[in-house]
Short mmCIF file of all heavy atoms in Angstrom, two decimals:
data_model
loop_
_atom_site.label_atom_id
_atom_site.label_comp_id
_atom_site.label_asym_id
_atom_site.label_seq_id
_atom_site.Cartn_x
_atom_site.Cartn_y
_atom_site.Cartn_z
N ASP A 1 0.74 -1.29 0.01
CA ASP A 1 0.04 -0.04 -0.03
C ASP A 1 0.74 1.26 -0.02
O ASP A 1 0.32 2.32 -0.21
CB ASP A 1 -1.02 0.03 1.23
CG ASP A 1 -1.89 -1.06 1.16
OD1 ASP A 1 -2.25 -1.53 0.13
OD2 ASP A 1 -2.34 -1.53 2.26
N ALA A 2 2.12 1.13 0.24
CA ALA A 2 3.01 2.28 0.40
C ALA A 2 3.27 3.03 -0.85
O ALA A 2 3.10 2.44 -2.04
CB ALA A 2 4.25 1.99 1.07
N VAL A 3 3.77 4.17 -0.90
CA VAL A 3 4.35 4.96 -2.04
C VAL A 3 5.88 4.85 -2.01
O VAL A 3 6.47 5.02 -0.91
CB VAL A 3 3.86 6.43 -1.92
CG1 VAL A 3 4.69 7.23 -2.98
CG2 VAL A 3 2.32 6.50 -2.25
N LEU A 4 6.50 4.57 -3.06
CA LEU A 4 7.95 4.40 -3.12
C LEU A 4 8.63 5.58 -3.87
O LEU A 4 7.99 5.90 -4.91
CB LEU A 4 8.36 3.09 -3.87
CG LEU A 4 8.45 1.79 -2.86
CD1 LEU A 4 9.52 1.99 -1.91
CD2 LEU A 4 7.22 1.49 -2.21
N PHE A 5 9.64 6.07 -3.35
CA PHE A 5 10.30 7.26 -3.92
C PHE A 5 11.71 6.74 -4.18
O PHE A 5 12.42 6.09 -3.47
CB PHE A 5 10.33 8.38 -3.00
CG PHE A 5 11.09 9.50 -3.50
CD1 PHE A 5 10.45 10.69 -4.07
CD2 PHE A 5 12.50 9.70 -3.31
CE1 PHE A 5 11.16 11.73 -4.55
CE2 PHE A 5 13.30 10.73 -3.78
CZ PHE A 5 12.58 11.82 -4.37
N HIS A 6 12.20 6.92 -5.53
CA HIS A 6 13.52 6.59 -5.96
C HIS A 6 14.14 7.71 -6.67
O HIS A 6 13.51 8.20 -7.68
CB HIS A 6 13.64 5.34 -6.90
CG HIS A 6 12.95 4.13 -6.24
ND1 HIS A 6 13.50 3.35 -5.23
CD2 HIS A 6 11.73 3.44 -6.58
CE1 HIS A 6 12.81 2.44 -4.96
NE2 HIS A 6 11.68 2.45 -5.63
N ALA A 7 15.35 8.17 -6.33
CA ALA A 7 16.15 9.22 -7.02
C ALA A 7 17.55 8.77 -7.43
O ALA A 7 18.18 8.12 -6.47
CB ALA A 7 16.18 10.39 -6.16
N VAL A 8 17.93 8.97 -8.57
CA VAL A 8 19.36 8.51 -8.94
C VAL A 8 20.25 9.74 -8.75
O VAL A 8 20.09 10.69 -9.26
CB VAL A 8 19.40 8.04 -10.52
CG1 VAL A 8 20.78 7.81 -10.94
CG2 VAL A 8 18.40 6.93 -10.77
N LEU A 9 21.25 9.38 -7.75
CA LEU A 9 22.25 10.52 -7.52
C LEU A 9 23.56 10.31 -8.26
O LEU A 9 24.25 11.22 -8.37
CB LEU A 9 22.53 10.43 -5.93
CG LEU A 9 21.36 10.42 -5.08
CD1 LEU A 9 21.83 10.35 -3.60
CD2 LEU A 9 20.48 11.62 -5.28
N HIS A 10 23.74 9.00 -8.82
CA HIS A 10 24.88 8.85 -9.57
C HIS A 10 24.64 7.75 -10.56
O HIS A 10 23.98 6.75 -10.20
CB HIS A 10 26.11 8.42 -8.69
CG HIS A 10 27.20 7.87 -9.37
ND1 HIS A 10 28.13 8.65 -10.18
CD2 HIS A 10 27.74 6.63 -9.58
CE1 HIS A 10 29.08 7.85 -10.68
NE2 HIS A 10 28.84 6.54 -10.41
N GLY A 11 25.24 7.82 -11.91
CA GLY A 11 24.96 6.79 -12.75
C GLY A 11 23.58 6.79 -13.43
O GLY A 11 23.04 7.95 -13.60
N SER A 12 23.04 5.78 -13.76
CA SER A 12 21.77 5.59 -14.41
C SER A 12 21.20 4.20 -14.13
O SER A 12 21.88 3.28 -13.72
CB SER A 12 21.82 5.66 -15.93
OG SER A 12 22.68 4.75 -16.46
N ALA A 13 19.90 4.19 -14.13
CA ALA A 13 19.07 2.89 -13.85
C ALA A 13 17.67 2.91 -14.58
O ALA A 13 17.38 4.02 -15.07
CB ALA A 13 18.86 2.78 -12.28
N ARG A 14 17.19 1.84 -14.68
CA ARG A 14 15.90 1.58 -15.31
C ARG A 14 14.95 1.11 -14.31
O ARG A 14 15.29 0.05 -13.54
CB ARG A 14 15.97 0.58 -16.47
CG ARG A 14 14.60 0.24 -17.00
CD ARG A 14 14.69 -0.81 -18.14
NE ARG A 14 15.38 -0.35 -19.31
CZ ARG A 14 15.54 -1.05 -20.45
NH1 ARG A 14 15.22 -2.39 -20.31
NH2 ARG A 14 16.15 -0.58 -21.51
N ILE A 15 13.74 1.67 -14.13
CA ILE A 15 12.81 1.17 -13.23
C ILE A 15 11.66 0.51 -14.14
O ILE A 15 11.24 1.13 -15.08
CB ILE A 15 12.23 2.35 -12.33
CG1 ILE A 15 11.16 1.58 -11.33
CG2 ILE A 15 11.62 3.43 -13.14
CD1 ILE A 15 10.62 2.60 -10.23
N ALA A 16 11.22 -0.68 -13.71
CA ALA A 16 10.25 -1.33 -14.37
C ALA A 16 9.11 -1.82 -13.51
O ALA A 16 9.49 -2.47 -12.37
CB ALA A 16 10.70 -2.46 -15.33
N CYS A 17 7.81 -1.58 -13.70
CA CYS A 17 6.75 -2.04 -12.77
C CYS A 17 6.21 -3.33 -13.31
O CYS A 17 6.23 -3.64 -14.57
CB CYS A 17 5.60 -0.95 -12.59
SG CYS A 17 6.19 0.44 -11.75
N ALA A 18 5.57 -4.05 -12.34
CA ALA A 18 4.90 -5.26 -12.74
C ALA A 18 3.86 -5.20 -13.82
O ALA A 18 3.58 -6.01 -14.63
CB ALA A 18 4.38 -6.10 -11.52
N GLY A 19 3.19 -3.97 -13.68
CA GLY A 19 2.12 -3.72 -14.67
C GLY A 19 2.55 -3.23 -16.09
O GLY A 19 1.83 -3.12 -16.93
N GLY A 20 3.92 -3.17 -16.26
CA GLY A 20 4.45 -2.80 -17.60
C GLY A 20 5.03 -1.42 -17.73
O GLY A 20 5.77 -1.12 -18.75
N ALA A 21 4.85 -0.50 -16.77
CA ALA A 21 5.34 0.92 -16.91
C ALA A 21 6.84 0.81 -16.68
O ALA A 21 7.38 0.06 -15.91
CB ALA A 21 4.75 1.71 -15.92
N MET A 22 7.56 1.57 -17.59
CA MET A 22 9.12 1.58 -17.47
C MET A 22 9.60 3.03 -17.77
O MET A 22 9.15 3.57 -18.71
CB MET A 22 9.63 0.55 -18.39
CG MET A 22 11.15 0.33 -18.27
SD MET A 22 11.74 -0.96 -19.46
CE MET A 22 11.46 -0.15 -21.01
N ILE A 23 10.67 3.31 -17.08
CA ILE A 23 11.21 4.65 -17.21
C ILE A 23 12.85 4.48 -17.15
O ILE A 23 13.22 3.85 -16.11
CB ILE A 23 10.67 5.79 -16.30
CG1 ILE A 23 9.27 6.03 -16.44
CG2 ILE A 23 11.63 7.06 -16.39
CD1 ILE A 23 8.68 6.90 -15.38
N GLU A 24 13.58 5.18 -18.00
CA GLU A 24 14.98 5.25 -17.81
C GLU A 24 15.41 6.52 -16.97
O GLU A 24 14.87 7.59 -17.23
CB GLU A 24 15.62 5.38 -19.17
CG GLU A 24 15.43 4.24 -20.00
CD GLU A 24 16.33 3.00 -19.82
OE1 GLU A 24 17.25 3.08 -18.80
OE2 GLU A 24 16.08 1.90 -20.34
#
């Protein structure tokens, strides 16, 4: 039920959700 916050401080990463949403 929580809200998750992620910030990239160095480098790069890809986030992908189980429902299909994805962001670089």
Side-chain angles (χ1 to χ4, degrees):
D1 294 334
V3 165
L4 272 296
F5 177 96
H6 303 287
V8 175
L9 307 182
H10 167 75
S12 62
R14 169 188 290 181
I15 182 171
C17 288
M22 184 177 67
I23 297 177
E24 299 282 351

